[in-house]
Amino acid sequence: MGDEYLRLFVEETALYNRIVVGNLLPYGLWVHLPHYLQTWLRNYIAATFIYLASGFLWCLYIYYLKRNVYVAKDSIPSRKAMMLQIYVAMKAMPWYCILPTLSEYMVENGWTKCFSRISDVGWIGHLVYLMIYLTLVEFGIYWMHRELHDIKFLYKHLHATHHIYNKQNTLSPFAGLAFHPLDGILQAVPHVIALFIVPAHFTTHMGLLFLEAIWTANIHDCIHANLWPVMGAGYHTIHHTTYRHNYGHYTIWMDWMLGTLRDPGDDAWGKLM
């Protein structure tokens, strides 16, 4: 890529920095920071807002506005449990935000296959590349998640932090990002690795990274949406109760192909719900 084209990425990330950081902090506090620190600060502010807002609105809806409709009263997690999940997630958040900041740095320097404008490849090309990108991400997250269970050292020192939430009345949307920092980064790394394999629209890539905060809130709410082939909360709750099934992220396909799928509709497993 030429310098002129790479400048498009820098201008785009600088615009995002001005929109987020520039509207929340006094000009003098951030304008003199190096570009990569401005980017990290923007990612931290945006990720924190998305996590807290989506978790709060999700909990407000299912636990209070729809009380006893989706979740029985005795299955609602305590405020103490949810506050602990928020504490774990917020402690890890500064570290999580290193990954998208590094991702943007690599894109800005032309090390990836990212493109800035959809017109560079056309809408059909963009959609084809997006499907390949999502397939690679699904494959990568499945195996990363599975190895975090299968490799005992990784489970004990990283993933066990997340699996203390192993019953319906301890799982909440706030548990979605309650990981050891390195665990959360490892499970998001396939998003970045895919950039070196398949052309990807930069803004779409960044959007998908931040969509993780909303998606993980959804799959930890214990409500089985029963929307095939989506790996919804019904499947993921089984993962938290058995530890050996439903490692997938967006879909059930990898679990189905590799024999690790357990369906919430099965009598033996539906009782866990």
Side-chain angles (χ1 to χ4, degrees):
M1 293 183 186
D3 291 342
E4 287 297 323
Y5 193 84
L6 293 178
R7 192 172 294 117
L8 293 175
F9 294 122
V10 177
E11 290 174 354
E12 186 173 345
T13 56
L15 173 63
Y16 297 153
N17 293 345
R18 290 195 299 273
I19 290 173
V20 176
V21 182
N23 284 310
L24 294 175
L25 296 179
Y27 184 78
L29 289 181
W30 65 272
V31 71
H32 299 298
L33 293 174
H35 178 71
Y36 67 90
L37 285 181
Q38 292 182 24
T39 298
W40 176 87
L41 185 59
R42 177 250 297 167
N43 287 332
Y44 177 68
I45 292 171
T48 299
F49 174 78
I50 292 170
Y51 168 71
L52 293 175
S54 60
F56 174 78
L57 292 173
W58 216 270
C59 290
L60 177 66
Y61 182 74
I62 63 176
Y63 298 149
Y64 296 99
L65 299 181
K66 293 291 184 178
R67 193 176 185 88
N68 294 325
V69 175
Y70 296 118
V71 180
K73 183 177 180 180
D74 58 358
S75 294
I76 296 176
S78 67
R79 291 184 182 179
K80 181 179 179 180
M82 289 189 281
M83 289 304 297
L84 177 60
Q85 291 162 11
I86 293 171
Y87 170 75
V88 172
M90 293 310 302
K91 190 168 65 170
M93 194 68 76
W95 300 99
Y96 291 161
C97 295
I98 292 174
L99 185 65
T101 303
L102 179 61
S103 168
E104 292 183 51
Y105 180 83
M106 292 188 292
V107 170
E108 290 168 354
N109 283 276
W111 300 347
T112 71
K113 292 181 178 291
C114 263
F115 55 90
S116 176
R117 301 164 298 202
I118 292 177
S119 59
D120 292 338
V121 298
W123 275 99
I124 294 177
H126 167 54
L127 293 175
V128 169
Y129 287 140
L130 179 59
M131 290 302 103
I132 299 172
Y133 172 92
L134 289 172
T135 300
L136 291 172
V137 168
E138 187 72 24
F139 176 86
I141 293 179
Y142 173 89
W143 280 110
M144 188 68 74
H145 190 184
R146 184 167 175 173
E147 292 310 303
L148 282 163
H149 279 267
D150 290 347
I151 299 174
K152 300 306 179 186
F153 178 86
L154 294 180
Y155 182 81
K156 178 181 178 180
H157 295 284
L158 297 182
H159 201 51
T161 299
H162 184 63
H163 270 276
I164 63 172
Y165 316 114
N166 58 6
K167 296 184 178 70
Q168 188 180 48
N169 62 2
T170 62
L171 282 166
S172 84
F174 289 116
L177 290 182
F179 290 93
H180 183 286
L182 185 55
D183 183 0
I185 290 171
L186 285 173
Q187 292 201 60
V189 156
H191 277 281
V192 178
I193 294 175
L195 299 181
F196 294 89
I197 302 172
V198 60
H201 182 228
F202 174 62
T203 305
T204 301
H205 159 71
M206 292 305 299
L208 287 170
L209 265 181
F210 281 89
L211 181 65
E212 292 290 329
I214 299 174
W215 179 252
T216 56
N218 169 64
I219 64 175
H220 287 88
D221 66 9
C222 298
I223 301 170
H224 183 41
N226 196 22
L227 183 63
W228 186 92
V230 174
M231 175 66 74
Y235 290 100
H236 197 72
T237 304
I238 288 177
H239 172 74
H240 273 264
T241 54
T242 71
Y243 294 65
R244 306 302 303 171
H245 304 99
N246 302 351
Y247 299 104
H249 190 55
Y250 292 122
T251 74
I252 64 173
W253 288 335
M254 288 295 299
D255 287 286
W256 176 73
M257 288 188 291
L258 296 170
T260 54
L261 182 66
R262 291 297 183 188
D263 193 311
D266 295 344
D267 290 341
W269 301 98
K271 293 176 183 178
L272 292 171
M273 307 303 295

